[in-house]
């Protein structure tokens, strides 16, 4: 028998030349050796020479060599692929819960733990996707591609720059490598969201929750305890938000009046263009206790039914003109005879501001105010001259609702409403029986706040909202620094007898409220696009498994396709095309790897692999298909 033409791996040309010169073939002739090939040599002589080159146990030379391969039939969905899909779907569900569920996302919102968890889940999903995509790519290459050995090698090694890899596969593998990088960037762009959970304020801070006519932390008893600094702090956010601004087309412009109740600062609620409310707020110790619990970016939203000091424009001057003028004359004459009830301040620009109210102590529920031509710095205008310019506002205490946002450094009113429900008489005592002397303390602040409506903003639609806000803030700030328990203890203030008979609770200056609170933390936005970012990899896994199980089930390769399967079924005669690549792993040309399922007479089905150049036409170049449910060896 003539042995096949082979080169013994590791044998030099000189050794093979010597071996071929001294051994006779079966036909009695002597064969000479040509570099690059050897044969045909006697099998026994070659085996003996191989024993010399690769020594091993002599007892195994003539025994049948064991087979370590595991025969199997091709399954539509390998178990590991199913586990990868299930794992990816579980990660998707956990990712969605980490974003969409308020309580889970709130707990994960500390120290960027939500971002860390989502990054970890995306990494697991990427590993699952990477375990199934090579199988699909191999099937696509075997069915529709050029079926080159270099393409299979690049797909299996998942290397974009693999030698002689097709351009399509370079792009495809590059995209699969770039996908997790893109997703890791994409999900981090959904910042700016928040998650909230309800909290029991009394339990968290350890005290009952009280509201009242308080100043925020840091503003209590500020300055000379007149209320002027508190007035300025309360009204400044309103003044800034409603101030004029430069418009490129029309020059100086004003913002439009709000159509719904709009909050400003920590307690101003503009109800409409004729009415404004100053809401009572949580007591300072409550606010400070909450602020101490908050981390950067966190906040509490606190909602509560509260009382408010409300100023509303009175239409008596138009509805009951005669009665209004008679009452005004009597009211003004009485004020002229008392100190600080009828006050005039020149603005030094031919205009002046006039404030008229009841003598203190007395009823401050009616406030006349107006801008009029200046009669002179030292001259108070006669009552009949002020009458045409006077605007009457009612001041009272009402029931309202408010929602505040408390952060580490501030408290801000974010929503509110009032229903026009006036509180009982006892809760009005702080206004109707009190010594407040507004004209003595507030005229410069009122000029600063309202003076613009005599000149630069004359005839502005914001005149009435500004006036109502100014009067409500004036009354509230003055009472807050004089009559709350903190102020009374600090100033040793003696309230009028009518007010002194009431406790702060009965007077509505401070009262317990069962409020509702939410603790809010910054998290990722609950966006459908974020859900899509999380779902991309699981959806791709399902698509890959569906295609592999249907369109490519008959392709002659399985999940275990690789070096072992190729070597197990390789046609040894075709390996000469790979000579020279033992170390480099590179070939000068693309070579085909043709797969052919074959049935032998011994009833063993195998898959044969043939390596050949693309120009070779002796055998069909397209791989054959598997027979279903057949075990291949």
């Amino acid at each position: 028998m003539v042995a096949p033409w082979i080169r013994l791996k590791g044998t030099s040309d000189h050794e093979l030349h010597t071996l071929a010169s001294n051994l006779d073939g079966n036909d009695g002739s002597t064969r000479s050796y040509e570099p690059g090939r050897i044969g045909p040599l006697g099998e026994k002589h070659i085996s003996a020479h191989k024993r010399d080159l690769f020594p091993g146990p002599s007892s195994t030379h003539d025994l049948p060599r064991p087979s370590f391969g595991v025969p199997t039939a091709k399954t539509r969905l390998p178990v590991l692929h199913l586990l990868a899909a299930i794992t990816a779907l579980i990660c998707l569900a956990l990712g969605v819960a980490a974003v969409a569920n308020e309580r889970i996302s709130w707990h994960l919102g500390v120290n960027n733990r939500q971002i860390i968890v989502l990054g970890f889940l995306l990494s697991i999903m990427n590993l699952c996707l990477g375990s199934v995509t090579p199988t699909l790519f191999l099937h696509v290459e075997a069915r529709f591609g050029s079926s080159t050995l270099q393409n299979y090698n690049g797909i299996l090694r998942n290397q974009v720059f693999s030698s002689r890899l097709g351009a399509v596969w370079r792009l495809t593998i590059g995209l699969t490598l770039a996908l997790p990088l893109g997703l890791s960037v994409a999900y981090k762009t959904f910042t700016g969201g928040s998650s909230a959970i309800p909290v029991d304020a009394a339990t968290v801070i350890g005290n009952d929750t009280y509201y009242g006519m308080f100043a925020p932390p840091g503003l209590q008893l500020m300055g000379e305890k007149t209320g002027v600094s508190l007035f300025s702090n309360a009204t400044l956010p309103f003044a800034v938000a409603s101030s004029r601004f430069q418009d490129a087309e029309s020059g100086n412009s004003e913002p439009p009046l709000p159509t719904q109740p709009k909050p400003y600062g920590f307690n101003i609620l503009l109800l409409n263009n004729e009415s404004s409310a100053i809401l009572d707020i949580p007591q300072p110790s409550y606010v400070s206790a909450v602020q101490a619990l908050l981390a950067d970016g966190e906040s509490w939203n606190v909602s509560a039914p509260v009382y408010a000091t409300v100023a509303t424009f009175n239409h008596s001057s138009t509805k009951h003109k005669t009665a209004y003028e008679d009452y005004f004359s009597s009211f003004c004459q009485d004020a002229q005879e008392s100190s600080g009830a009828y006050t005039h301040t020149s603005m030094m620009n031919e205009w002046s501001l006039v404030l008229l109210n009841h003598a203190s102590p007395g009823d401050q529920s009616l406030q006349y105010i107006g801008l009029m031509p200046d009669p002179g710095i030292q001259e108070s205008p006669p009552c009949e001259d002020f009458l045409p310019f006077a605007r009457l506002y009612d001041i009272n205490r009402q029931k309202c609702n408010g929602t505040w946002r408390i952060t580490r450094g501030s408290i801000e009113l974010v929503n509110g409403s009032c229903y026009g429900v006036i509180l009982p008489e006892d809760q009005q005592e702080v206004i109707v029986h009190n010594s407040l002397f507004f004209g003595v303390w507030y005229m410069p602040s009122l000029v600063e706040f309202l003076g613009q409506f005599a000149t630069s903003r004359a005839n502005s639609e914001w005149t009435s909202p500004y006036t109502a806000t100014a009067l409500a803030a004036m009354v509230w700030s003055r009472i807050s620094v004089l009559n709350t328990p903190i102020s009374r203890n600090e100033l040793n203030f003696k309230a009028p007898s009518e007010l002194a008979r009431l406790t702060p609770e009965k007077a509505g200056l401070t009262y317990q409220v069962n409020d509702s609170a939410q603790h809010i933390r910054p998290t990722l936005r609950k966006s459908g696009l974020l859900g899509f970012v999380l779902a991309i990899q699981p959806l791709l896994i399902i698509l890959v498994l569906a295609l592999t199980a249907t369109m490519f089930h008959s392709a002659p390769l399985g999940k275990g396709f690789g070096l072992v399967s190729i070597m197990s079924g390789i046609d040894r005669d075709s390996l000469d095309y790979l000579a020279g690549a033992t170390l480099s792993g590179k070939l000068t040309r693309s070579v085909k790897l043709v797969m052919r399922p074959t049935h032998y007479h011994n009833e063993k089905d195998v898959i044969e692999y043939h390596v050949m150049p693309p120009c070779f036409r002796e055998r069909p170049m397209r791989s054959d298909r598997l027979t279903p449910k057949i075990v291949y060896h």
Side-chain angles (χ1 to χ4, degrees):
M1 177 182 293
V2 178
W5 295 88
I6 62 172
R7 166 183 285 275
L8 298 178
K9 185 175 182 181
T11 307
S12 67
D13 289 347
H14 175 72
E15 290 175 317
L16 293 175
H17 181 77
T18 303
L19 183 63
S21 299
N22 293 283
L23 296 177
D24 294 334
N26 289 341
D27 57 358
S29 62
T30 299
R31 305 297 184 189
S32 60
Y33 166 72
E34 298 177 6
R37 65 178 297 177
I38 178 173
L41 302 176
E43 292 182 356
K44 293 183 179 180
H45 296 108
I46 296 176
S47 298
H49 187 68
K50 291 170 67 177
R51 285 199 303 272
D52 293 337
L53 296 175
F54 308 103
S58 59
S59 60
T60 63
H61 171 61
D62 296 325
L63 296 177
R65 297 181 180 179
S67 174
F68 300 113
V70 179
T72 186
K74 186 174 182 179
T75 58
R76 289 189 179 272
L77 291 176
V79 175
L80 290 180
H81 285 183
L82 285 175
L83 290 176
I86 293 173
T87 301
L89 291 174
I90 292 175
C91 289
L92 173 61
L94 293 176
V96 171
V99 175
N101 184 275
E102 284 288 325
R103 187 165 291 275
I104 294 176
S105 62
W106 184 86
H107 283 287
L108 292 176
V110 181
N111 298 325
N112 293 323
R113 287 189 300 197
Q114 188 184 35
I115 292 179
I116 295 173
V117 168
L118 291 183
F120 175 71
L121 295 175
L122 283 172
S123 298
I124 295 178
M125 289 188 279
N126 178 53
L127 294 176
C128 295
L129 179 62
S131 69
V132 300
T133 50
T135 303
L136 175 64
F137 295 163
L138 293 170
H139 281 80
V140 172
E141 174 67 12
R143 175 70 64 84
F144 302 111
S146 57
S147 192
T148 65
L149 188 62
Q150 288 92 336
N151 283 350
Y152 289 121
N153 181 56
I155 293 172
L156 288 172
R157 298 175 67 183
N158 200 34
Q159 290 188 352
V160 176
F161 300 105
S162 182
S163 176
R164 306 193 74 81
L165 180 65
V168 173
W169 289 118
R170 289 190 194 275
L171 178 62
T172 302
I173 294 175
L175 290 176
T176 59
L177 294 176
L179 177 63
L181 299 178
L183 295 179
S184 67
V185 173
Y187 86 94
K188 294 185 180 73
T189 63
F190 290 89
T191 56
S194 62
S195 296
I197 62 169
V199 293
D200 184 354
T203 301
V204 173
I205 67 175
N207 292 308
D208 294 331
T209 55
Y210 283 87
Y211 286 68
M213 300 183 77
F214 299 114
L219 297 181
Q220 308 100 310
L221 307 178
M222 185 176 178
E224 292 298 320
K225 291 86 175 178
T226 62
V228 174
S229 59
L230 187 56
F231 169 89
S232 299
N233 277 277
T235 56
L236 182 60
F238 172 83
V240 171
S242 57
S243 62
R244 294 185 304 163
F245 58 90
Q246 289 292 121
D247 185 79
E249 297 180 358
S250 59
N252 293 335
S253 297
E254 292 184 325
L257 284 173
T259 58
Q260 300 292 331
K262 184 173 177 60
Y264 300 90
F266 57 85
N267 66 344
I268 290 181
L269 182 65
L270 183 62
L271 301 176
N272 50 57
N273 63 343
E274 294 182 340
S275 183
S276 186
I278 309 297
L279 273 60
D280 294 352
I281 66 172
Q283 64 181 356
S285 60
Y286 176 11
V287 177
S288 298
V290 172
Q291 290 176 330
L293 299 173
L294 298 176
D296 290 338
E298 295 184 354
S299 64
W300 268 35
N301 272 15
V302 182
S303 298
V306 295
Y307 302 157
T309 304
V310 181
T312 305
F313 179 69
N314 188 311
H315 288 271
S316 299
S317 60
T318 55
K319 293 182 178 180
H320 311 285
K321 185 176 181 179
T322 302
Y324 170 82
E325 292 178 350
D326 292 342
Y327 182 81
F328 174 84
S329 297
S330 174
F331 190 95
C332 185
Q333 289 174 4
D334 291 342
Q336 284 180 318
E337 297 174 359
S338 66
S339 174
Y342 185 45
T343 313
H344 151 268
T345 298
S346 174
M347 295 168 52
M348 308 297 290
N349 59 359
E350 300 182 354
W351 288 92
S352 63
L353 178 70
V354 181
L355 178 65
L356 170 64
N357 48 52
H358 197 282
S360 293
D363 186 359
Q364 304 299 320
S365 62
L366 295 178
Q367 297 287 328
Y368 292 90
I369 191 170
L371 293 163
M372 62 176 294
D374 189 6
I377 297 177
Q378 302 297 331
E379 298 290 334
S380 293
C383 292
E384 57 271 18
D385 290 347
F386 176 51
L387 176 60
F389 301 97
R391 297 172 61 88
L392 175 61
Y393 284 83
D394 296 317
I395 314 294
N396 52 46
R397 298 275 285 166
Q398 299 184 13
K399 290 184 177 180
C400 298
N401 280 325
T403 299
W404 287 264
R405 179 186 294 116
I406 303 174
T407 65
R408 283 179 61 88
S410 68
I411 176 172
E412 179 186 11
L413 182 66
V414 295
N415 196 9
S417 59
C418 295
Y419 315 108
V421 178
I422 299 177
L423 294 175
E425 181 178 347
D426 283 349
Q427 279 80 51
Q428 304 296 335
E429 288 294 313
V430 292
I431 296 176
V432 299
H433 290 107
N434 212 340
S435 297
L436 301 176
F437 296 98
F438 295 121
V440 174
W441 304 109
Y442 284 87
M443 291 305 290
S445 296
L446 292 176
V447 167
E448 181 73 19
F449 195 69
L450 300 175
Q452 58 188 319
F453 295 101
T455 55
S456 60
R457 298 181 71 174
N459 302 318
S460 170
E461 62 182 358
W462 280 91
T463 302
S464 185
Y466 259 76
T467 307
T469 301
L471 293 176
M474 178 183 70
V475 175
W476 167 82
S477 60
R478 184 64 176 159
I479 295 173
S480 295
V481 299
L482 291 180
N483 299 124
T484 58
I486 298 176
S487 302
R488 286 185 180 185
N489 295 337
E490 177 72 17
L491 300 176
N492 195 26
F493 176 77
K494 301 298 183 181
S497 58
E498 294 84 352
L499 182 58
R501 65 181 176 83
L502 300 174
T503 63
E505 290 77 12
K506 289 184 177 181
L509 293 168
T510 181
Y511 43 92
Q512 186 176 353
V513 173
N514 292 323
D515 55 9
S516 60
Q518 286 186 320
H519 191 163
I520 301 174
R521 282 176 175 166
T523 57
L524 296 178
R525 285 183 285 115
K526 297 169 178 59
S527 169
L529 288 177
L530 177 56
F532 176 72
V533 169
L534 297 176
I536 286 178
Q537 294 182 113
L539 291 177
L540 288 177
I541 292 174
I542 294 174
L543 177 62
V544 166
L545 296 185
L547 292 175
T548 305
T550 54
M551 292 181 60
F552 302 105
H553 179 58
S554 60
L557 50 82
K559 178 184 179 300
F561 177 80
L563 181 62
V564 173
S565 61
I566 293 175
M567 293 183 65
S568 175
I570 192 68
D571 177 10
R572 291 165 177 79
D573 290 339
S574 65
L575 291 178
D576 283 346
Y577 295 115
L578 308 181
T582 55
L583 181 61
S584 67
K586 297 181 180 180
L587 301 174
T588 59
R589 298 184 58 186
S590 296
V591 295
K592 294 277 187 179
L593 181 65
V594 180
M595 293 164 272
R596 181 178 297 110
T598 305
H599 178 74
Y600 287 106
H601 296 294
N602 59 4
E603 298 183 354
K604 285 186 177 181
D605 295 89
V606 298
I607 299 176
E608 293 183 347
Y609 297 91
H610 303 272
V611 178
M612 57 189 67
C615 60
F616 194 84
R617 290 290 183 268
E618 182 177 331
R619 292 175 176 171
M621 301 300 293
R622 184 60 64 188
S623 299
D624 296 335
R625 298 193 176 193
L626 292 179
T627 303
K629 300 181 181 180
I630 296 297
V631 176
Y632 288 90
H633 291 70

